[in-house]
Amino acid sequence: MKRVFHIITHFDMGGAERVAASIAKSPAADMEYHVLEIVRGRSAYTKVFIGELRQGGVRCHRALMPDVRFHFLFERIAALLFPLRFIIVWLRWRPDVIHTHTEVPDMSIRAFFLLFPWLARRCRVVRTIHNTRLWTGQRKLGAAVERFFCRQGANIAISPSVQDAYAQVYGERPPMILNGVELPGPKPYPGIVPGKVNVLFAGRLEPQKGVARLLDIISCLRGDSRYFFHIIGDGQLLGEVRRRLAGLANASLRPPLYGLPAFMPSFDYMLMPSEFEGLSIVSIEASMARLPNIINNCPGLGDTMPPDWPLRVEGNSLEQYLRLFREVLPQADRKALADRAERHAQELFGVGTMRRKYEELYRKGK
């Protein structure tokens, strides 16, 4: 029996958290899975996420440190305090594998093995690289953390774009395991506007997600009665989104929605103007739900769609987006686009393949 600990930032909604949960819910008889958070999740989604894990037989370990976002300060404090907490968990459970996801868990595990270096010889460390850009605003700290994971041979990239970006910055080209996605059964979304083309944006309201460009698109199309935009998310740009949407009749805003993939088939198109991604889980979920995706052809997002996908723009060009909405979408065969996107996603991003490849790594041991 292999005891595997997934270390995530918090029990909350996020692509990396979904990947960890999808692996941990594996039915493999020779695996015992635990998921541990670094800071304490506190959203409406947290309890549901924990319930989902426990229903799948996964042990959950809650954090005491609050999830306060203030210029990396609380994240660094949580990482520094993490070894004192995790050594107690370690002595109780003796993990065979530690699998980290995103920067806060990465620096926490680095701090743990810096304080207890002999324990690194007793377990395998696996680290999934979820993004093409790492350690924004923390470059020196990030360089030290990356040296540790490179020495451990722990790195796994989630897309060719992540492989390329990591090799360019850190000189190592890690092996790749594509993220896998599983969808729940479909549910009707109650906010669909009849007689309109309903366009969905779902994600963190952060600069990375292209929120400024999203708002530009909605504003420019405010006089086009064909479209209605549904924005589902939260984040640091929430105030700006509310301000820009005030008085616009072609858009709505609501907080994150648990089980969003189940509602995706209710919409007509997904809009993703991200500046960069690792490998977008939301895009893959949309394709599997037969929801055609309008994308910025950025690293980690273009990788999720067929190579010649017609609903893409270059450089997040507003002009190109407006051309798609005004000229291309009214003439498009939406069913053919949905068929093509679904077929591509099913072939590349099945959750069973992802689980099998990671569990092969776990079984190899140290």
Side-chain angles (χ1 to χ4, degrees):
M1 178 72 70
K2 292 287 186 182
R3 185 168 287 141
V4 181
F5 268 72
H6 285 269
I7 315 297
I8 62 175
T9 301
H10 46 200
F11 291 121
D12 209 336
M13 189 177 295
E17 286 79 4
R18 293 306 314 165
V19 169
S22 294
I23 300 170
K25 291 188 296 179
S26 167
D30 61 337
M31 297 286 165
E32 178 186 301
Y33 284 102
H34 297 240
V35 179
L36 180 146
E37 64 178 356
I38 304 296
V39 294
R40 194 173 184 87
R42 53 188 174 87
S43 76
Y45 178 68
T46 298
K47 290 183 179 179
V48 179
F49 185 62
I50 293 172
E52 175 189 336
L53 288 172
R54 288 176 174 164
Q55 187 176 7
V58 181
R59 295 181 183 270
C60 300
H61 301 265
R62 299 297 323 262
L64 296 177
M65 183 75 180
D67 183 10
V68 180
R69 300 176 190 180
F70 181 72
H71 196 61
F72 311 122
L73 176 62
F74 283 86
E75 295 175 352
R76 292 181 181 181
I77 293 173
L80 289 173
L81 295 177
F82 175 78
L84 303 178
R85 170 200 176 199
F86 192 52
I87 189 61
I88 299 172
V89 176
W90 181 288
L91 293 173
R92 167 67 178 86
W93 294 102
R94 307 284 181 174
D96 299 295
V97 180
I98 291 175
H99 188 159
T100 73
H101 302 264
T102 69
E103 284 100 327
V104 177
D106 294 344
M107 60 182 171
S108 300
I109 288 299
R110 174 65 185 103
F112 177 78
F113 286 123
L114 190 63
L115 194 59
F116 304 106
W118 60 91
L119 296 180
R121 298 191 293 270
R122 302 187 181 186
C123 78
R124 182 175 184 86
V125 179
V126 177
R127 183 275 192 111
T128 296
I129 308 170
H130 286 275
N131 219 324
T132 54
R133 299 185 193 178
L134 302 176
W135 306 107
T136 302
Q138 306 181 87
R139 192 169 299 276
K140 290 184 179 179
L141 174 62
V145 174
E146 295 306 328
R147 285 194 294 271
F148 166 76
F149 284 109
C150 288
R151 287 197 304 269
Q152 290 289 319
N155 289 327
I156 301 293
I158 63 170
S159 71
S161 294
V162 169
Q163 282 184 313
D164 294 342
Y166 195 86
Q168 183 177 0
V169 177
Y170 299 106
E172 175 190 286
R173 188 174 182 82
M176 180 177 68
I177 297 177
L178 294 172
N179 283 346
V181 173
E182 56 183 345
L183 291 185
K187 298 179 181 179
Y189 181 72
I192 292 298
V193 180
K196 304 283 188 180
V197 176
N198 288 265
V199 181
L200 172 65
F201 171 92
R204 300 191 314 274
L205 302 180
E206 310 285 349
Q208 173 189 340
K209 299 300 182 180
V211 171
R213 180 57 76 224
L214 168 71
L215 296 172
D216 290 340
I217 295 168
I218 294 173
S219 179
C220 288
L221 293 174
R222 62 186 179 275
D224 192 327
S225 61
R226 293 173 293 185
Y227 299 104
F228 191 88
F229 295 86
H230 302 261
I231 302 175
I232 299 178
D234 196 359
Q236 64 173 303
L237 297 179
L238 178 61
E240 174 68 8
V241 173
R242 285 174 172 162
R243 186 185 68 80
R244 292 277 303 272
L245 293 184
L248 296 183
N250 64 334
S252 67
L253 172 65
R254 65 156 294 162
L257 177 64
Y258 172 70
L260 176 65
F263 298 99
M264 285 181 176
S266 297
F267 296 89
D268 297 298
Y269 292 96
M270 171 76 81
L271 174 57
M272 294 195 69
S274 298
E275 299 290 345
F276 62 93
E277 296 279 352
L279 187 73
S280 173
I281 295 295
V282 173
S283 174
I284 297 168
E285 289 171 337
S287 291
M288 287 190 171
R290 299 181 51 77
L291 178 60
N293 208 335
I294 303 164
I295 67 165
N296 177 38
N297 190 27
C298 68
L301 187 49
D303 296 329
T304 66
M305 305 305 298
D308 55 348
W309 183 245
L311 305 184
R312 69 172 76 204
V313 307
E314 301 296 334
N316 237 355
S317 165
L318 178 60
E319 181 181 354
Q320 292 180 34
Y321 281 119
L322 295 179
R323 178 182 172 274
L324 286 177
F325 279 100
R326 290 168 175 166
E327 301 177 22
V328 177
L329 296 187
Q331 308 299 324
D333 184 340
R334 186 186 171 281
K335 181 181 181 302
L337 290 169
D339 290 342
R340 188 174 171 196
E342 181 188 25
R343 185 167 55 249
H344 180 79
Q346 293 288 359
E347 288 174 356
L348 291 183
F349 305 113
V351 71
T353 300
M354 176 187 69
R355 284 176 179 160
R356 176 178 56 78
K357 290 183 176 180
Y358 274 116
E359 288 176 341
E360 287 173 357
L361 285 179
Y362 302 159
R363 293 186 182 102
K364 288 179 182 179
K366 183 63 178 175

